[in-house]
């Protein structure tokens, strides 16, 4: 594999040079491969071409494919032998070299071969086998490189969150715009409404609400005032702030998340190591059998013994060429991924399909995954002497002047009920704890308990109901009219309608469900109670989610992680299977191995069924491929000759190889008809 940076740079080119190179080799030589294949299959029907002429045409067409397009394969194959780390590159390079070398010898010295190997006026050549192997392998590498490029895109999306410049406050009080790289710990920066916080710091002056959802997953902006910590790349909503820089560069929270995602993506799957070991012994076995075939025929066979030895050894290598083995998994994956996409499930690679069926634990984020991800109106409770419509109308009229998400939810509900809203007079925001104003000649206040306590508004009539709403995961606001409590309004992030059924189905399938959320414990417990989830982790950071996934994996469990936010990215990348909501952030989808386009957890159950069917299909394909090798290799080595039967011509070996590929393709296509 080509070298890649540990952490991609934000301004780096998304296109891999290796991908560009392989695409050029593939597309420039694909017409040659097709031409060779057509001539090999139907060239004998062209009477104007002599057999020798067809052979030389095939050679000329194949040379660029083998000596240029396949050069990286030979290089990697040579390195695998040189370092004694045999893998599929070893087999591909030997298979291509054997098919091409045998055919080259048959073209340049046809008199070396017995007459029994002459068909249609010429010694059989297998240039088309060499060319097709090269083109198919290049295509597989292109698909793999495209998938790998998305992992770097995910990290670059994280890096792009950070602003490029900061407004630094000089000693004389004047502002200056400087690049982020020039900030130092202790500097003061000004953050105006609508701007991003340039780096991690501490508020010195001002009050505002910061949207931290891109990093924490919390949908409701968080109030910040003097002494509060702020996170770089978060969005300042409504107030001006002066922030003291506390962390810069690689020490910031955003940089740490980037490093966690990069480290998780570099980790190697256990299944991949097992595949490498199997490939190592498979290559050794094929090479050993070919070598023994050559020596046995050369020393013990009838004359011309060494000619027979070479031909039978080449037959072994040709019949063991990895066409069927190479198609066994990709064909199943191509059919399965297309079928999954039509069901709203996007797999990023074959590894996700293979691993999903074995997942035992599903770790689920709350906000945007179990819930809708945005505040919605929940309830209104009027105090004695007031009605629900009055409380909702007054609160919504007052909130018309606020851009807070909680206020937006109240206004939307009032409009949904067709309540006639009034324009508030003397509107003001009270340091993030509430709002004030006059509506219909009455003095209104809407806010939390702190605002009511400051104005000595008695909460006793509804204090029990307020506590119950908070335990249910809602944000509670009190409305006071002329200094008297008029009622309560509750807003919360609602559970998606499809979530309860999805959780029940996943639990019935044997999955252990774990909730991990950055929200408070009370909110997490409320959602857990509603869904029957008892394993709950609240107020967790991105690092906590990553450590939770790692601890479950350390106990021997296969873990899937489902989430939709940037804060989920490290855990999504580290999990055996990361599952992103299609309604979430691009970074979450890029870090995950599986994306649910509709953002519906029921897609996980569909994906598991596809995984089970696909893995079973791949195993069947591998059985087909190995069965042909198990039967064909001994025959190619001359087993039938010992029983007074014929020798296996390399042409027959190539036919057997083609039949194995056909059986694999036909079996993979059955996936399209299986029910979900």
């Amino acid at each position: 594999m080509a070298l890649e940076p540990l952490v991609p740079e934000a301004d780096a080119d998304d296109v891999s040079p290796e991908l560009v190179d392989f695409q050029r080799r593939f597309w420039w030589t694909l017409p040659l491969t097709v031409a060779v294949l057509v001539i090999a299959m139907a060239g004998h029907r062209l009477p104007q071409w002599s057999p020798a002429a067809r052979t030389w045409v095939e050679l000329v067409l194949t040379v660029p494919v083998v000596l240029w397009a396949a050069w990286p394969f030979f290089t990697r194959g040579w390195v695998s032998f040189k370092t004694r780390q045999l893998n599929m590159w070893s087999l591909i390079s030997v298979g291509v070299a054997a098919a091409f070398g045998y055919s080259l010898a048959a073209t340049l010295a046809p008199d070396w071969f017995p007459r029994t190997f002459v068909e249609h006026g010429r010694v059989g050549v297998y240039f088309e086998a060499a060319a097709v192997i090269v083109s198919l392998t290049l295509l597989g590498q292109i698909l793999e490189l495209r998938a790998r490029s998305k992992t770097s895109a995910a990290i670059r999306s994280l890096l792009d969150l950070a602003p490029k410049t900061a407004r630094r406050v000089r000693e004389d009080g004047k502002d200056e715009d400087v690049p982020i790289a020039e900030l130092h710990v202790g500097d003061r920066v000004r953050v105006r409404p609508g701007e991003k916080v340039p780096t991690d710091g501490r508020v010195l002056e001002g009050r505002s609400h910061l949207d931290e959802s891109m990093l924490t997953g919390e949908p409701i902006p968080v109030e910040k005032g003097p002494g509060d910590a702020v996170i770089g790349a978060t969005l300042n909503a409504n107030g001006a702030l002066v922030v003291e820089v506390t962390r810069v560069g690689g020490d910031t929270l955003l940089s740490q998340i980037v490093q966690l995602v990069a480290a998780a993506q570099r980790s190697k799957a256990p299944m991949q190591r097992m595949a490498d070991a199997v490939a190592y012994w498979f290559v050794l076995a094929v090479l050993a059998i070919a070598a023994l075939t050559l020596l046995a025929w050369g020393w013990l066979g009838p004359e011309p013994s060494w000619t027979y030895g070479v031909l039978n050894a080449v037959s072994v290598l040709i019949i063991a060429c990895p066409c069927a083995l190479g198609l066994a998994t990709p064909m199943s994956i191509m059919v399965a991924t297309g079928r999954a996409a039509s069901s709203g499930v996007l797999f990023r690679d074959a590894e996700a399909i293979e691993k999903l069926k074995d997942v035992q634990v599903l770790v689920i984020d709350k906000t945007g995954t179990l819930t809708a991800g945005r505040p919605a109106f929940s309830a209104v409770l009027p105090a004695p002497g007031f009605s629900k419509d009055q409380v909702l109308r007054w609160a919504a009229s007052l909130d018309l002047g606020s851009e807070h998400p909680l206020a937006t939810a109240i206004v939307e509900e009032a409009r949904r009920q067709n309540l006639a809203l009034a324009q508030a007079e003397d509107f003001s925001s009270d340091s993030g704890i509430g709002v004030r104003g006059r509506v219909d000649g009455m003095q209104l206040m809407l806010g939390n308990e702190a605002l009511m306590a400051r104005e000595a508004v008695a909460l006793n009539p509804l204090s029990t109901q307020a506590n119950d709403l908070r335990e249910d995961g809602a944000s509670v606001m009190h409305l006071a009219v002329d200094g008297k409590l008029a009622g309560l309004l509750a807003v919360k992030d609602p559970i998606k309608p499809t979530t309860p059924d999805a959780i029940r189905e996943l639990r019935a399938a044997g999955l252990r469900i774990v909730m991990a959320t950055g929200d408070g414990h009370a909110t997490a417990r409320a959602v857990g109670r509603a869904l029957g989830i008892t394993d709950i982790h609240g107020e967790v950071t991105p690092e906590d989610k990553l450590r939770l996934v790692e601890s479950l994996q350390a106990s021997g469990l296969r873990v899937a992680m489902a989430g939709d936010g940037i804060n989920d990215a490290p855990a999504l990348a580290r999990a055996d299977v990361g599952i992103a909501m299609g309604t979430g952030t691009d970074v979450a989808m890029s870090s995950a191995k599986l994306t649910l386009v509709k953002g519906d957890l029921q897609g996980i159950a569909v994906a598991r069924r596809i995984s089970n069917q696909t893995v079973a299909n791949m195993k069947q394909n591998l059985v087909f491929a190995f069965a042909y090798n198990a039967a064909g290799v001994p025959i190619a080595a001359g087993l039938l000759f010992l029983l007074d039967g014929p020798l296996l011509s390399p042409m027959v070996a190539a036919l057997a190889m083609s039949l194995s590929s056909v059986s694999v393709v036909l079996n993979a296509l059955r996936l399209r008809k299986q029910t979900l």
Side-chain angles (χ1 to χ4, degrees):
M1 294 173 60
L3 291 177
E4 297 177 355
L6 294 179
V7 179
E9 298 178 358
D11 298 327
D13 190 356
D14 285 341
V15 181
S16 163
E18 187 180 19
L19 175 58
V20 173
D21 179 50
F22 276 19
Q23 286 177 328
R24 183 174 63 252
R25 293 175 188 270
F26 174 75
W27 290 113
W28 275 98
T29 58
L30 181 61
L32 302 179
T33 298
V34 173
V36 171
L37 186 60
V38 170
I39 294 173
M41 296 297 103
H44 62 280
R45 298 178 182 176
L46 302 175
Q48 65 271 28
W49 283 19
S50 68
R54 284 192 289 110
T55 300
W56 279 98
V57 170
E58 290 181 39
L59 170 61
V60 171
L61 293 173
T62 305
V63 165
V65 180
V66 172
L67 298 187
W68 178 66
W71 186 252
F73 306 162
F74 290 121
T75 301
R76 295 175 184 187
W78 168 251
V79 171
S80 71
F81 286 108
K82 184 178 178 180
T83 60
R84 299 178 184 178
Q85 299 292 326
L86 301 185
N87 50 44
M88 289 307 293
W89 293 116
S90 314
L91 193 57
I92 290 171
S93 60
V94 170
V96 173
F100 182 76
Y102 163 80
S103 301
L104 182 63
T107 302
L108 299 178
D111 295 337
W112 292 357
F113 296 82
R115 294 184 179 276
T116 55
F117 291 96
V118 176
E119 188 174 355
H120 298 298
R122 66 172 185 173
V123 176
V125 292
Y126 308 100
F127 292 118
E128 79 284 356
V132 168
I133 291 172
V134 172
S135 293
L136 287 175
T137 306
L138 280 172
L139 178 60
Q141 285 301 294
I142 289 170
L143 296 176
E144 178 185 340
L145 287 168
R146 285 179 176 173
R148 275 170 40 201
S149 68
K150 295 180 182 178
T151 62
S152 298
I155 299 178
R156 279 191 285 271
S157 298
L158 283 172
L159 294 171
D160 288 340
L161 287 175
K164 301 297 186 290
T165 61
R167 189 177 298 274
R168 184 166 59 188
V169 181
R170 300 189 314 199
E171 292 296 331
D172 59 6
K174 295 182 179 180
D175 297 345
E176 61 176 351
D177 291 334
V178 298
I180 294 294
E182 294 185 12
L183 289 180
H184 299 87
V185 174
D187 285 349
R188 293 179 300 156
V189 294
R190 192 182 308 279
V191 186
R192 296 178 297 185
E195 293 180 342
K196 288 184 177 181
V197 178
T199 188
D200 295 359
R202 179 175 59 88
V203 176
L204 296 178
E205 302 173 14
R207 284 188 175 275
S208 184
H209 288 80
L210 297 188
D211 181 358
E212 299 180 344
S213 60
M214 69 284 294
L215 293 177
T216 67
E218 173 57 52
I220 300 175
V222 181
E223 180 190 357
K224 299 292 183 179
D228 291 334
V230 295
I231 304 172
T234 55
L235 183 65
N236 183 24
N238 49 17
L241 299 174
V242 175
V243 176
E244 179 185 13
V245 175
T246 57
R247 289 188 293 186
V248 296
D251 295 331
T252 64
L253 178 61
L254 178 61
S255 295
Q256 291 173 10
I257 292 177
V258 169
Q259 293 165 14
L260 288 171
V261 174
Q265 290 178 342
R266 289 197 305 270
S267 59
K268 196 173 185 179
M271 187 177 294
Q272 185 177 345
R273 290 192 290 269
M274 182 183 68
D276 290 343
V278 171
Y280 175 84
W281 292 108
F282 179 74
V283 172
L284 281 182
V286 171
L287 294 176
I289 293 172
L292 289 174
T293 299
L294 173 64
L295 296 176
W297 276 95
W299 288 335
L300 305 175
E303 292 297 332
S305 60
W306 287 104
T307 299
Y308 283 122
V310 170
L311 290 174
N312 290 333
V314 169
S315 294
V316 168
L317 290 172
I318 288 179
I319 206 168
C321 280
C323 277
L325 289 176
L327 286 173
T329 297
M331 279 304 304
S332 299
I333 294 301
M334 284 192 292
V335 176
T337 51
R339 187 161 175 255
S342 64
S343 301
V345 177
L346 302 180
F347 287 100
R348 201 175 82 184
D349 55 30
E351 183 181 349
I353 297 180
E354 293 179 24
K355 288 188 173 183
L356 185 60
K357 65 177 288 291
D358 297 323
V359 165
Q360 300 161 290
V361 182
L362 176 61
V363 180
I364 307 182
D365 172 52
K366 181 189 77 68
T367 304
T369 305
L370 295 173
T371 65
R374 61 187 299 269
F377 182 83
S378 177
V380 55
L381 299 177
F386 298 91
S387 69
K388 288 185 177 181
D389 285 352
Q390 283 179 316
V391 174
L392 180 57
R393 176 180 177 274
W394 288 333
S397 297
L398 191 58
D399 273 338
L400 281 174
S402 174
E403 296 181 356
H404 196 284
L406 299 181
T408 301
I410 293 174
V411 172
E412 288 178 352
E413 177 63 18
R415 287 174 172 165
R416 189 186 69 81
Q417 296 189 22
N418 296 319
L419 298 180
L421 304 184
Q423 188 66 40
E425 301 175 353
D426 302 327
F427 175 84
S428 65
S429 177
D430 201 344
S431 301
I433 61 175
V435 293
R436 303 169 183 264
R438 295 184 64 83
V439 176
D440 297 338
M442 295 175 291
Q443 185 64 42
L444 304 183
M445 291 186 298
L446 179 65
N448 58 21
E449 287 184 335
L451 178 61
M452 298 297 112
R454 178 186 298 179
E455 301 299 328
V457 177
L459 303 179
N460 292 334
L462 298 175
S463 58
T464 300
Q465 293 92 323
N467 290 332
D468 291 342
L469 288 169
R470 293 190 189 95
E471 281 297 316
D472 193 39
S475 298
V476 178
M477 288 157 285
H478 302 75
L479 177 68
V481 178
D482 293 332
K484 181 181 178 181
L485 183 67
L488 305 177
L489 298 103
V491 174
K492 68 178 182 179
D493 187 8
I495 294 174
K496 293 179 181 179
T498 57
T499 297
D501 290 340
I503 293 297
R504 283 192 291 269
E505 186 174 357
L506 293 170
R507 189 179 285 113
L511 285 179
R512 170 185 166 191
I513 309 297
V514 179
M515 182 199 302
T517 175
D519 284 359
H521 293 290
T523 302
R525 286 195 299 268
V527 174
R529 283 195 302 271
L531 296 174
I533 300 175
T534 57
D535 197 342
I536 299 170
H537 300 261
E539 297 183 2
V540 296
T541 64
E543 293 87 347
D544 293 332
K545 290 184 180 181
L546 177 61
R547 283 193 288 268
L548 173 62
V549 170
E550 290 176 336
S551 66
L552 291 169
Q553 290 174 325
S555 62
L557 298 171
R558 291 189 178 274
V559 182
M561 169 71 193
D564 76 322
I566 293 172
N567 60 310
D568 301 315
L572 288 172
R574 183 65 184 90
D576 294 289
V577 180
I579 304 172
M581 301 296 106
T583 52
T585 64
D586 292 340
V587 174
M589 288 183 278
S590 298
S591 299
K593 295 291 186 70
L594 172 63
T595 298
L596 306 180
V597 177
K598 301 175 183 177
D600 186 348
L601 288 178
Q602 289 180 327
I604 298 179
V606 174
R608 275 176 62 85
R609 289 193 288 272
I610 293 175
S611 173
N612 282 315
Q613 295 171 359
T614 305
V615 171
N617 191 268
M618 287 190 293
K619 290 179 178 179
Q620 295 164 3
N621 286 344
L622 289 172
V623 168
F624 282 133
F626 279 110
Y628 276 105
N629 281 328
V633 169
I635 294 174
L639 178 63
L640 294 181
F641 185 83
L642 299 178
L643 302 176
D644 295 328
L647 288 175
L648 182 66
S649 165
M651 182 174 294
V652 178
L655 178 61
M657 180 181 64
S658 299
L659 290 176
S660 68
S661 299
V662 170
S663 65
V664 164
V665 172
L666 293 178
N667 187 59
L669 292 176
R670 291 192 311 109
L671 281 173
R672 297 185 300 180
K673 304 298 182 182
Q674 294 183 342
T675 58
L676 292 179

